[in-house]
């Protein structure tokens, strides 16, 4: 007989309680769905607000797109920055913040986990952070923090004066920050439980972290409003809003 969603939640909850009691390692791996209830659009889901249904990713989130039209890309990121500055964390961020031992590996470029109270040392931003700008020339190495409410328009790098500053996020076709990737892989390969929250699990190499956990014997709990690329790897798949499911999973 197949399990009802309520049975699955109860089983997953019992497992989480066990992990917490025995201080076994839990890692959360999140994506844009974690921040969806805060009003920040996701990239891919059935929601008509999903960003890629309105904009072409190759123009807005790629080195080629920036090369072709740096002003448009900067303006688009500044529009997203202002939306993120206005956003409040939701019940999912707040629930995760109640468990300071859980490492947060996130694909999100927003800072809502930190805003909810997660220590910055416990957040691994695999795809960078939108509140940073860096020189478009890697060899220059200049980086600075930007005010999300009043982000600066396109400007030259003040250090090398050779190229523009660009958002400190990882674009399509770019490598992930090496330290963040190595740390996330190492922690996830040692965890007992991987919580996969609000990700389509279709963006690589980040999505490879889920099979890494699974193959090391970790239990995988997937929380998503719909089935995803992580469904087939889940021990428990809890369908619903992260802000509803997470507090029920930990209560
Ligand atoms: P994605 O857009 O590909 O997938 C989002 C997933 O979240 C979907 O599977 C959807 O069903 C699910 N979802 C939507 N609302 C949900 C909710 N309330 N609760 C639970 N699940 C929900 O996102 P992704 O997998 O993170 O894709 C990766 C890329 O998207 C990353 O590079 C990331 O940087 C970028 N991104 C980040 C933000 C952000 O920082 N908040 C926003 C948009 C996109």
């Amino acid at each position: 007989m197949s399990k009802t969603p309520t049975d699955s939640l109860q089983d997953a909850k019992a497992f989480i309680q066990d992990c917490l009691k025995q201080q076994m390692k839990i890692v959360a791996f999140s994506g844009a769905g974690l921040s969806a209830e805060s009003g920040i659009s996701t990239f891919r889901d059935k929601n008509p607000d999903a960003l890629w249904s309105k904009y072409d990713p190759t123009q807005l989130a790629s080195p080629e797109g920036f090369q072709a039209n740096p002003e448009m890309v900067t303006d688009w990121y500044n529009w997203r920055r202002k939306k993120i500055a206005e956003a409040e964390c939701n019940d999912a961020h707040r629930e995760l913040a109640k468990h300071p031992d859980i490492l947060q590996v996130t694909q999100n470029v927003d800072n809502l986990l930190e805003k909810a109270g997660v220590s910055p040392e416990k957040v691994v931003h695999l795809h960078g952070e939108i509140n940073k700008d860096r020189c478009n020339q890697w060899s220059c190495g200049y980086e600075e923090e930007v005010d999300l409410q009043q982000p600066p328009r396109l400007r030259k790098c003040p250090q090398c004066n050779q190229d523009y500053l660009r958002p400190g996020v990882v674009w399509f076709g770019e490598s992930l920050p090496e330290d963040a990737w190595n740390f996330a892989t190492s922690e996830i390969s040692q965890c007992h439980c991987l919580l996969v929250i609000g990700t389509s699990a279709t963006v690589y190499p980040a999505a490879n972290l889920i099979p890494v956990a699974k193959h090391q014997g970790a239990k995988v709990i997937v929380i998503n409003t719909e089935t995803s690329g992580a469904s087939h790897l889940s021990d428990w798949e809890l369908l619903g809003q992260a802000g509803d499911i997470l507090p029920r999973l930990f209560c």
Side-chain angles (χ1 to χ4, degrees), residues 55-186:
Y55 305 98
D56 178 358
T58 55
Q59 283 180 355
L60 296 165
S62 70
E64 296 77 21
F66 187 71
Q67 183 85 13
N69 197 338
E71 205 140 40
M72 182 180 78
V73 171
T74 305
D75 288 349
W76 186 70
Y77 271 92
N78 284 350
W79 167 76
R80 286 187 67 202
R81 282 168 163 161
K82 287 180 189 161
K83 284 195 85 89
I84 287 173
E86 286 163 12
E88 295 296 336
C89 25
N90 64 52
D91 287 345
H93 299 111
R94 282 189 279 271
E95 185 60 44
L96 292 171
K98 287 183 193 161
H99 306 281
D101 291 338
I102 299 181
L103 180 72
Q104 304 294 329
V105 176
T106 189
Q107 297 165 89
N108 290 349
V109 296
D110 67 49
N111 54 0
L112 293 181
L113 280 165
E114 292 91 335
K115 213 169 172 178
V118 180
S119 155
E121 291 85 61
K122 281 292 201 179
V123 187
V124 180
H125 283 280
L126 284 180
H127 291 164
E129 293 172 84
I130 205 166
N131 62 352
K132 299 209 170 116
D133 261 347
R134 67 167 179 79
C135 181
N136 195 37
Q137 291 297 319
W138 274 111
S139 52
C140 167
Y142 181 79
E143 191 180 272
E144 68 176 42
E145 212 157 292
V146 299
D147 179 350
L148 289 178
Q149 272 158 338
Q150 292 183 310
R153 299 206 64 191
L154 181 68
R155 67 214 189 282
K156 278 273 168 77
C157 171
Q159 184 165 283
C160 69
N161 217 26
Q162 298 294 310
D163 205 337
Y164 292 118
L165 293 185
R166 53 157 278 185
V169 302
V170 177
W171 283 334
F172 289 104
E174 293 186 320
S175 306
L176 271 50
E178 209 177 312
D179 289 353
W181 175 252
N182 290 341
F183 183 59
T185 310
S186 156

Side-chain angles (χ1 to χ4, degrees), residues 11-52:
D11 289 355
K13 191 171 151 172
F15 179 70
I16 288 279
Q17 292 309 327
D18 234 36
C19 287
L20 291 173
K21 222 181 280 162
Q22 296 183 48
Q23 297 183 325
M24 295 195 289
K25 195 189 279 286
I26 302 174
V27 176
F29 171 58
S30 56
L34 174 65
S35 298
E37 290 158 78
S38 297
I40 303 175
S41 297
T42 59
F43 277 1
R44 300 169 201 81
D45 60 45
K46 290 180 188 135
N47 175 355
D49 281 344
L51 289 171
W52 292 150

